[in-house]
Amino acid sequence: MSWNLDSDRPIFLQIIQKIQTDIISGVYQPGDKLPSVRELASEASVNPNTMQKALSELERTGLVYSQRTSGRFITEDNAMIQQLKSELAKKIIEDFLEHMSQLGIQREEAIALITETIEGDTK
């Protein structure tokens, strides 16, 4: 897994987003055991305390749960995972439309450009 962390936003928030993306994209399946805090921290080149903070937040939301001596696991609640996927997709679309608006492109024109791009990719 590639960890592309930058200094523009808090690292623990980027870690949360990366793990969420890995879950909704299928890198981690429902019920899968996550690597240990130290393993993840080493992989991401971050302090274990930062990784712990991110994982604790994921636990608070219910996306990850811990079993006292066995480690942390991905929720088996598929509805929660699908809801997260939908929320993140909507956020990306909203950000895209905001960027288009900044370019002076209205929603209808942006949708037309998307359609044109998609159809161009299939030819």
Side-chain angles (χ1 to χ4, degrees):
M1 276 184 272
S2 175
W3 294 81
N4 297 319
L5 305 175
D6 59 53
S7 60
D8 293 347
R9 299 179 301 131
I11 299 296
F12 87 97
L13 291 176
Q14 293 177 67
I15 292 168
I16 290 169
Q17 185 176 25
K18 167 79 167 99
I19 294 173
Q20 287 175 333
T21 301
D22 286 350
I23 292 169
I24 63 175
S25 68
V27 172
Y28 294 121
Q29 296 293 316
D32 277 359
K33 184 179 189 296
L34 282 172
S36 72
V37 170
R38 291 202 181 281
E39 288 175 78
L40 286 170
S42 175
E43 190 178 300
S45 300
V46 299
N47 185 301
N49 292 332
T50 303
M51 186 60 69
Q52 176 63 39
K53 183 177 180 180
L55 291 172
S56 292
E57 179 60 22
L58 288 168
E59 275 188 59
R60 191 191 65 72
T61 65
L63 196 59
V64 170
Y65 66 94
S66 63
Q67 291 186 337
R68 197 147 183 83
T69 58
S70 302
R72 287 189 172 92
F73 297 83
I74 305 303
T75 183
E76 294 179 26
D77 184 347
N78 287 318
M80 176 187 280
I81 294 170
Q82 286 303 317
Q83 180 181 354
L84 175 63
K85 187 176 195 173
S86 179
E87 289 170 4
L88 292 177
K90 286 178 184 176
K91 175 72 172 114
I92 290 169
I93 292 168
E94 289 168 0
D95 291 347
F96 168 77
L97 291 173
E98 176 62 29
H99 284 94
M100 292 299 101
S101 176
Q102 291 171 1
L103 293 174
I105 298 173
Q106 300 304 313
R107 285 179 186 250
E108 296 76 22
E109 188 179 356
I111 291 168
L113 286 168
I114 291 169
T115 302
E116 181 182 309
T117 303
I118 291 170
E119 290 173 356
D121 287 347
T122 59
K123 292 181 182 177

